[in-house]
Amino acid sequence: MSIDELKKGESMSSPSRWSFAIALAVASFTSQATEPQSQRLYPEGSQQHFSGPATYFTGQVDVQMLFPSQDAAPYSGAYVTFAPGARTAWHQHPAGQHMIVTKGTAITVTRPGQVIAFHEGETVWCPEGVDHWHGSMPDSSMTHLVITGSREGQNVVWKEQVSDAQYQAAVKTVTAEQPTLKALGATHQHLATVAALAAAGDQSSLSLALNRALDAGVSVNQLKEALIHLYPYGGFPKSLNALGTLMSVVKVRQSAGKQDKVGDAPKPLPAGDTAQALGTRVQTELVGHPVSGPLFDFAPGINTFLQKHLFGDVFARGVLDHQDREVLTVAMLSVSPETEPQLRAHIGMALNTGLKRDQLQDLSTLVQYSVGSAAGQRIDSALKAALKS
């Protein structure tokens, strides 16, 4: 079976004998001879990358092979990314499979009805011969690393598609297990979800989150401002990409006849030298005292930029108040590893705006289910550290 046939999902005389390259697949990869004393490098992108065929998947699924099966090590590896609501057909693995979530939340269901939701960093082992399916939640994408064993040249046996009713029943079970947010307001929930997904660069999930926010009455200008707010914390590329997604969402909704709330326009930028004076006041108010220290003595220019541009221009634009912006900032920073000092500082600022501990704990839970457990854990750790100080 050629890889081109695999990509197209063309049938064989016995479809259940397909060896698919990942979660689900790899058959067309044959073991490659290597010198026993040598290691082998598989450079990024050197293996096949393709969309899962509609014969075996519902929705958009992208497969990035990492390494093929070998005679001495009969298992293959691949990253598989599911768009929101995407899933596999029913199938089983003759030699089992490990599934390790690297982004988002995955769901997997067995024929007897066992439903497991697992998150970033968590692993599920599916034993040999167990009928199951797996995929993403309806409102967010998911990526998992799959390590799939082979037995007698076969690593998957495909069966019938998962019906919409079967998928929705599993989602309902998972949703029922998720904690209810009681302290964080609805607008903050929508803004934080949008901010976290935009910071993560997950455009497909972001599109759904933007639609839900607009349906709930969040204004177009509030969402614009949230995505503009991303650029100091996530960079221009992510901000611009997210704004492009919002623009597309708004156009589609307008074409469908939906009349979304536009909202207040931002204030003009401060004129002349007033931006730094205004920003210094905002920075002092948020932090609780004038900001100084060895870092700013070493590089005073960075504090000038913080005061003049971030707090003077961005925070002072209106549309969103300081509390809104701290919710956004915490959500955005939580997505990025190695920003713990900044996250802890903004947790303190969020508390200074009047946000409460239980609201920030809700924010942690929300981010965990939007982009992954690691982001939620970063908020939890920063909140504990801020409350101790």
Side-chain angles (χ1 to χ4, degrees):
M1 171 77 46
S2 70
I3 197 65
D4 289 335
E5 291 173 315
L6 180 61
K7 291 180 188 177
K8 295 176 182 177
E10 295 175 358
S11 61
M12 300 176 65
S13 57
S14 177
S16 66
R17 300 292 297 175
W18 273 69
S19 291
F20 190 62
I22 141 235
L24 324 169
V26 73
S28 60
F29 288 96
T30 58
S31 299
Q32 303 177 23
T34 59
E35 297 179 6
Q37 72 277 18
S38 299
Q39 297 186 86
R40 169 167 291 190
L41 170 67
Y42 296 101
E44 183 178 3
S46 65
Q47 303 299 296
Q48 291 290 333
H49 187 185
F50 53 91
S51 294
T55 309
Y56 303 115
F57 297 90
T58 299
Q60 180 61 41
V61 178
D62 295 316
V63 179
Q64 174 62 67
M65 289 302 302
L66 297 175
F67 57 87
S69 179
Q70 302 284 346
D71 289 339
Y75 49 83
S76 61
Y79 284 125
V80 191
T81 298
F82 293 75
R87 56 193 184 266
T88 72
W90 287 99
H91 62 285
Q92 61 177 244
H93 300 288
Q97 182 185 71
H98 276 105
M99 299 175 282
I100 307 102
V101 175
T102 60
K103 177 182 177 184
T105 297
I107 51 176
T108 183
V109 182
T110 63
R111 193 76 75 172
Q114 181 190 31
V115 180
I116 298 176
F118 54 120
H119 314 288
E120 180 182 337
E122 296 183 324
T123 301
V124 166
W125 161 248
C126 181
E128 61 184 80
V130 173
D131 276 12
H132 70 292
W133 62 266
H134 41 109
S136 61
M137 295 291 286
D139 55 357
S140 60
S141 61
M142 179 273 292
T143 300
H144 61 23
L145 165 65
V146 293
I147 300 175
T148 311
S150 296
R151 180 166 291 156
E152 298 179 355
Q154 186 180 28
N155 76 334
V156 64
V157 177
W158 287 105
K159 301 189 177 182
E160 78 275 16
Q161 289 279 15
V162 174
S163 69
D164 288 343
Q166 289 172 322
Y167 176 74
Q168 292 300 332
V171 169
K172 185 176 181 180
T173 299
V174 172
T175 303
E177 296 173 351
Q178 295 180 3
T180 301
L181 304 183
K182 297 180 179 180
L184 192 66
T187 298
H188 280 164
Q189 290 183 34
H190 286 294
L191 290 175
T193 301
V194 164
L197 292 170
D202 186 349
Q203 303 305 319
S204 57
S205 300
L206 175 61
S207 178
L208 292 173
L210 290 168
N211 273 290
R212 288 198 303 274
L214 290 166
D215 287 340
V218 180
S219 75
V220 174
N221 282 344
Q222 283 177 305
L223 294 172
K224 284 182 185 178
E225 203 60 33
L227 299 178
I228 291 171
H229 188 89
L230 172 60
Y231 96 82
Y233 298 100
F236 272 112
K238 286 185 177 180
S239 178
L240 292 170
N241 291 342
L243 285 165
T245 297
L246 174 59
M247 181 172 65
S248 297
V249 165
V250 169
K251 285 183 177 179
V252 170
R253 291 172 67 90
Q254 288 174 341
S255 298
K258 294 186 178 181
Q259 297 183 346
D260 295 313
K261 180 181 177 182
V262 176
D264 297 334
K267 297 176 182 178
L269 293 177
D273 296 330
T274 60
Q276 186 166 3
L278 173 60
T280 301
R281 290 198 300 273
V282 172
Q283 182 191 52
T284 302
E285 176 187 338
L286 290 172
V287 176
H289 55 78
V291 174
S292 61
L295 178 62
F296 297 134
D297 293 338
F298 177 71
I302 194 65
N303 201 26
T304 299
F305 288 135
L306 285 171
Q307 293 170 341
K308 185 174 182 178
H309 182 51
L310 176 61
F311 294 111
D313 290 338
V314 177
F315 269 74
R317 281 173 57 82
V319 182
L320 302 174
D321 62 25
H322 293 167
Q323 190 174 93
D324 297 334
R325 290 185 181 275
E326 285 306 328
V327 168
L328 292 173
T329 304
V330 170
M332 291 168 179
L333 289 174
S334 73
V335 176
S336 302
E338 318 247 337
T339 60
E340 283 80 4
Q342 291 76 28
L343 180 56
R344 178 178 172 179
H346 279 281
I347 289 285
M349 295 183 207
L351 292 167
N352 287 339
T353 67
L355 284 166
K356 305 301 182 185
R357 177 175 183 167
D358 55 352
Q359 291 175 299
L360 292 169
Q361 288 174 332
D362 271 2
L363 180 56
S364 170
T365 300
L366 180 67
V367 167
Q368 174 179 333
Y369 281 95
S370 298
V371 297
S373 57
Q377 289 167 3
R378 291 187 191 104
I379 294 177
D380 285 341
S381 297
L383 179 57
K384 289 177 183 177
L387 292 172
K388 287 180 180 178
S389 61

